[in-house]
Amino acid sequence: MHTYKIATVAALGAAAVTTASSLADLCTVSNVQSALPSNGTLLGINLLPSTVTASALYNQSSGTGSSGTYNYCNVTVSYTHTGKGDAVVLKYAFPSPSDFENRFYVAGGGGFSLSTDATGGLEYGAAGGATDAGYDAFETSYDDVVLYGNGSLNWDATYMFSYQALGEMTKVGKEISKGFYGLSSDEKIYTYFEGCSDGGREGMSQVQRWGEEYDGVIAGAPAFRFAQQQVTHVFPATVEKTQGYYPPPCELQKIVNATIAACDPLDGRTDGVVSRSDLCKLNFNLSSIIGEHYYCAAETSSSLGFGFSKRQAAGSTTSYQPAQNGTVTAQGVAIAQAVYDGLHNSAGERAYLSWQIAASLDDADTEYNNDTESWGLEIPSTGGEYVTKFVELLDLDNLSNLDNVTYDTLVDWMNTAIVRYLDSLQTTLPDLTPFQSTGGKLLHYHGESDPSIPTASSVHYWQSVRSIMYNDLTDEESLAALEDWYQFYLIPGAAHCGTNTLQPGPYPENNMNIMIDWVENGVKPTRLNTTVSSGQYEGETQMLCQWPTRPLWHGNSSNFECVNDQKSYDSWMYTFPAFKLPVY
Ligand SMILES: *[C@@H]1O[C@H](CO)[C@@H](O)[C@H](O)[C@H]1NC(C)=O
Ligand SMILES: *[C@@H]1O[C@H](CO)[C@@H](O)[C@H](O)[C@H]1NC(C)=O
Ligand SMILES: *[C@@H]1O[C@H](CO)[C@@H](O)[C@H](O)[C@H]1NC(C)=O
Ligand SMILES: *[C@@H]1O[C@H](CO)[C@@H](O)[C@H](O)[C@H]1NC(C)=O
Ligand SMILES: *[C@@H]1O[C@H](CO)[C@@H](O)[C@H](O)[C@H]1NC(C)=O
Ligand SMILES: *[C@@H]1O[C@H](CO)[C@@H](O)[C@H](O)[C@H]1NC(C)=O
Ligand SMILES: *[C@@H]1O[C@H](CO)[C@@H](O)[C@H](O)[C@H]1NC(C)=O
Ligand SMILES: *[C@@H]1O[C@H](CO)[C@@H](O)[C@H](O)[C@H]1NC(C)=O
Ligand SMILES: *[C@@H]1O[C@H](CO)[C@@H](O)[C@H](O)[C@H]1NC(C)=O
Ligand SMILES: *[C@@H]1O[C@H](CO)[C@@H](O)[C@H](O)[C@H]1NC(C)=O
Ligand SMILES: *[C@@H]1O[C@H](CO)[C@@H](O)[C@H](O)[C@H]1NC(C)=O
Ligand SMILES: *[C@@H]1O[C@H](CO)[C@@H](O)[C@H](O)[C@H]1NC(C)=O
């Protein structure tokens, strides 16, 4: 049970009058209004007291699927930027004073959406918040407002989505929290961020731009290096068009399945999981799959992962597929190999990295044409829409074709977007000194078989931070310095921000508790606690190896070592000579 100073009493300067307040006592419009930071105290942010709403809610479930029920104060308030005349709506959830543990929690969103839910911190005794970012983000996806019209980019929405809205929501939310509970201004509020995919990018944006505001950030599979990442979604289709072969989806699935089967034992345990995609890359030749038989029954299916735009149906398109019965061709393997090799320009210079071998090839899915009874081009809208709206500045939801599109075109698109969004969406600033020097802790993870955001994309950023911040240290010293506050883990076999139906591997389920222990109790993790969620090893705890060490199992037992393997490590290292700018 905590006791709290009543804000107004403390403000009068009365000596340490403490009273146990109830939620109903604190959850009033006037208490929230008196907790608002005054104009001029947070540069450029003017809270609007007249917009405050506050209502106590009891026995509510949180929006995040945790099992408990919670009592909290539901607060909304708007602010404007000095001189701008805009309005940004914030919502906050303040737990009962008896549950509040001096924490503030921010959740990441996904796709082109910020989180709309402020209740994710309740299970940790944390206040939490969400922002409409000034473009009605509770209802609208950023890609739906990014253009005012053809050629006319909405920079306000772009900066707000990129990093600004979350930073402001957090900074304001911590101030209101102190006033709301009557804490003194120098009292610590432990501040956490947790997100995956674009939520991971959002977390990285906060580490990079608002580092002093956060104590612990958990970032999964961040969708950063945004220009390269988004254009890469149309890379597989470009490979197919360039090579003139549109494989039946079943053929690619077979290639992936056969790769998993072949590479599973390379890590020392045959458990259906490719825990060492690096050994697979170094030792397995996809050509050995040529001639293997595949069969998939006819189906009406939806494909292409999650829809990025709220205008498009969630989970994207439905399509009919006939039964597919054949053998893996040399052309099919050539497509898979080129996709895994990653984008190079016509001079053979590398432009980007790719998904790890054994990751499924979702973006390479082709579309069946009932009339011609053949497979043909399908452009994933994740990439197609990015090119039309963000690169070409045309208000279209998808590219209609890839006519005249070559690998060099993709590189040009990336270059255009890198330059245009370098200080907003790109989100790859590698100097994290403000975050690190104020004690921030970063837990970064990525599924090793992520089919949407290449795993090596995260490795590259980790390496950029290490080399930019610790350039003067030896390898060993820089590793030691970094892992004190920035730890990175690959999740064997995992897909995009979740488990993988093709590989029954482990997944972290306890990240926030690990982070709280690290931040508040100084318990620095050395491995990452995960649980296998299906298959023959369901329920097994795996304490994952911290990058750059790699797992190596012993004879199918449940024990693995974390080894240093230079050849494996090198297989994850990339340079991008197709770009003149440094790529962090
Ligand atoms: C702060 O500024 C806003 C407009 O920017 C105004 O509406 C509000 O009344 C001001 N608050 C105070 C306490 O002056
Ligand atoms: C919340 O649930 C508890 C336990 O079921 C009950 O005692 C209490 O009356 C409920 N409160 C409200 C406001 O519904
Ligand atoms: C919180 O308050 C806002 C503003 O009154 C309201 O729109 C919203 O529905 C409330 N949330 C819940 C969960 O009741
Ligand atoms: C934007 O450009 C596209 C492609 O040229 C065109 O189809 C569309 O009608 C244009 N929209 C507007 C509002 O002009
Ligand atoms: C690939 O493996 C998955 C999971 O075991 C299975 O459901 C699917 O039918 C397989 N596909 C092919 C083409 O072998
Ligand atoms: C894979 O095997 C094929 C056919 O044997 C060969 O042409 C190719 O060079 C091999 N690839 C690698 C990377 O060794
Ligand atoms: C697939 O094709 C092979 C050879 O053409 C044939 O023997 C087999 O019966 C077919 N399988 C199915 C399920 O149609
Ligand atoms: C394609 O053809 C199949 C078989 O003739 C039919 O069942 C299906 O409805 C057709 N799909 C579309 C989208 O026309
Ligand atoms: C995008 O356009 C391509 C080409 O017209 C089409 O194949 C694909 O299904 C479209 N994707 C979506 C999600 O609409
Ligand atoms: C593609 O290139 C050809 C030849 O340069 C040109 O005639 C055609 O208009 C181009 N098509 C598109 C869609 O740009
Ligand atoms: C791992 O996390 C689980 C909860 O997911 C917990 O029960 C277990 O004690 C943790 N194990 C270790 C070694 O930290
Ligand atoms: C591990 O298990 C697989 C099949 O489950 C078996 O083929 C293999 O021989 C075993 N390896 C060792 C080293 O026991």
Side-chain angles (χ1 to χ4, degrees):
M1 187 68 178
H2 300 237
T3 55
Y4 295 89
K5 299 187 197 91
I6 301 250
T8 48
V9 175
L12 289 172
V17 178
T18 59
T19 312
S21 307
S22 70
L23 180 62
D25 293 337
L26 298 188
C27 190
T28 63
V29 169
S30 61
N31 187 41
V32 175
Q33 283 174 334
S34 67
L36 298 179
S38 320
N39 288 353
T41 59
L42 303 179
L43 189 64
I45 299 172
N46 290 343
L47 275 300
L48 305 174
S50 62
T51 63
V52 170
T53 71
S55 51
L57 299 175
Y58 296 91
N59 292 343
Q60 305 283 305
S61 55
S62 85
T64 56
S66 71
S67 55
T69 59
Y70 305 93
N71 304 334
Y72 67 95
C73 185
N74 173 30
V75 167
T76 63
V77 59
S78 299
Y79 67 93
T80 185
H81 293 100
T82 301
K84 197 170 170 91
D86 60 343
V88 181
V89 182
L90 302 173
K91 57 176 149 179
Y92 293 107
F94 294 108
S96 276
S98 56
D99 295 332
F100 183 59
E101 300 198 51
N102 285 30
R103 295 177 183 143
F104 191 83
Y105 175 93
V106 185
F112 281 117
S113 297
L114 301 172
S115 170
T116 59
D117 182 13
T119 64
L122 294 176
E123 64 181 295
Y124 309 109
T131 171
D132 94 332
Y135 60 84
D136 200 19
F138 296 146
E139 304 295 333
T140 311
S141 176
Y142 158 61
D143 56 327
D144 289 342
V145 299
V146 62
L147 295 178
Y148 293 114
N150 287 343
S152 180
L153 195 84
N154 185 343
W155 281 111
D156 286 329
T158 297
Y159 283 107
M160 287 298 268
F161 176 76
S162 293
Y163 60 84
Q164 189 185 350
L166 285 169
E168 291 178 348
M169 184 280 291
T170 299
K171 200 172 174 63
V172 169
K174 291 164 67 174
E175 286 302 303
I176 299 180
S177 298
K178 286 182 185 172
F180 182 87
Y181 294 107
L183 308 182
S184 63
S185 63
D186 57 357
E187 226 164 315
K188 177 81 180 166
I189 295 196
Y190 296 105
T191 305
Y192 299 94
F193 186 102
E194 183 177 33
C196 200
S197 193
D198 197 74
R201 185 200 63 78
E202 292 157 25
M204 289 299 191
S205 81
Q206 300 305 286
V207 171
Q208 293 169 15
R209 304 263 182 185
W210 297 84
E212 302 91 332
E213 294 298 327
Y214 294 88
D215 299 287
V217 171
I218 301 165
F224 56 9
R225 213 169 299 105
F226 210 78
Q228 285 95 334
Q229 169 58 36
Q230 297 306 87
V231 173
T232 293
H233 284 301
V234 291
F235 171 57
T238 309
V239 169
E240 290 164 350
K241 186 192 153 263
T242 304
Q243 299 200 0
Y245 180 65
Y246 296 95
C250 191
E251 183 179 13
L252 292 180
Q253 283 161 26
K254 178 66 192 189
I255 291 171
V256 171
N257 283 3
T259 302
I260 292 168
C263 291
D264 169 7
L266 297 178
D267 55 35
R269 185 167 85 164
T270 305
D271 56 1
V273 181
V274 181
S275 299
R276 292 288 298 278
S277 63
D278 40 37
L279 294 178
C280 189
K281 179 176 177 177
L282 293 170
N283 296 299
F284 179 63
N285 189 333
L286 288 172
S287 295
S288 62
I289 305 170
I290 294 169
E292 286 196 33
H293 177 247
Y294 64 80
Y295 177 80
C296 296
E299 63 171 338
T300 302
S301 69
S302 54
S303 57
L304 290 181
F306 55 96
F308 253 39
S309 166
K310 286 182 180 171
R311 268 199 295 214
Q312 289 157 358
S316 76
T317 54
T318 308
S319 59
Y320 165 76
Q321 299 194 343
Q324 299 156 66
N325 184 12
T327 53
V328 173
T329 62
Q331 296 105 297
V333 163
I335 298 285
Q337 186 67 59
V339 170
Y340 288 138
D341 285 347
L343 176 64
H344 295 71
N345 65 16
S346 56
E349 295 165 317
R350 178 174 287 282
Y352 207 43
L353 39 76
S354 187
W355 302 284
Q356 289 302 108
I357 188 167
S360 44
L361 294 161
D362 297 2
D363 281 340
D365 269 352
T366 52
E367 193 167 43
Y368 190 67
N369 183 322
N370 253 10
D371 301 328
T372 60
E373 297 187 337
S374 62
W375 296 91
L377 183 70
E378 173 165 303
I379 302 172
S381 60
T382 43
E385 186 204 33
Y386 181 76
V387 173
T388 52
K389 289 189 175 173
F390 292 77
V391 179
E392 298 178 332
L393 303 180
L394 293 175
D395 198 5
L396 300 172
D397 285 346
N398 197 357
L399 278 171
S400 57
N401 61 63
L402 292 179
D403 292 353
N404 295 351
V405 170
T406 64
Y407 297 137
D408 287 337
T409 315
L410 301 190
V411 177
D412 286 346
W413 284 341
M414 288 179 178
N415 226 339
T416 297
I418 292 167
V419 171
R420 186 174 295 151
Y421 305 105
L422 192 56
D423 68 345
S424 55
L425 294 167
Q426 193 70 354
T427 324
T428 49
L429 293 176
D431 177 9
L432 306 180
T433 301
F435 176 76
Q436 180 270 333
S437 63
T438 52
K441 308 287 184 260
L442 175 57
L443 177 60
H444 176 186
Y445 66 92
H446 206 131
E448 190 156 335
S449 284
D450 189 323
S452 181
I453 299 179
T455 314
S457 159
S458 276
V459 174
H460 187 71
Y461 181 72
W462 173 90
Q463 177 61 24
S464 295
V465 172
R466 180 185 176 198
S467 61
I468 290 291
M469 291 185 67
Y470 299 116
N471 197 27
D472 52 340
L473 301 185
T474 65
D475 273 10
E476 215 165 289
E477 287 167 348
S478 69
L479 280 179
L482 196 58
E483 62 110 48
D484 259 348
W485 61 276
Y486 175 3
Q487 299 195 359
F488 176 53
Y489 294 89
L490 298 186
I491 316 296
H496 185 58
C497 295
T499 54
N500 184 349
T501 52
L502 300 179
Q503 299 183 47
Y507 208 73
E509 293 171 357
N510 204 20
N511 283 346
M512 261 303 283
N513 290 320
I514 292 167
M515 181 54 88
I516 287 171
D517 223 20
W518 193 5
V519 165
E520 297 180 22
N521 305 322
V523 181
K524 182 174 83 169
T526 54
R527 294 194 174 196
L528 185 65
N529 183 354
T530 61
T531 307
V532 177
S533 62
S534 66
Q536 73 184 110
Y537 292 99
E538 182 174 345
E540 180 184 76
T541 296
Q542 288 185 18
M543 300 301 289
L544 298 187
C545 301
Q546 192 180 148
W547 179 262
T549 67
R550 305 260 53 214
L552 192 62
W553 301 80
H554 291 292
N556 288 341
S557 74
S558 282
N559 301 317
F560 58 90
E561 262 183 283
C562 297
V563 300
N564 281 296
D565 181 336
Q566 189 65 40
K567 262 183 103 173
S568 285
Y569 178 77
D570 291 345
S571 79
W572 292 89
M573 294 296 125
Y574 294 93
T575 57
F576 305 103
F579 300 109
K580 300 290 175 264
L581 280 174
V583 176
Y584 294 119

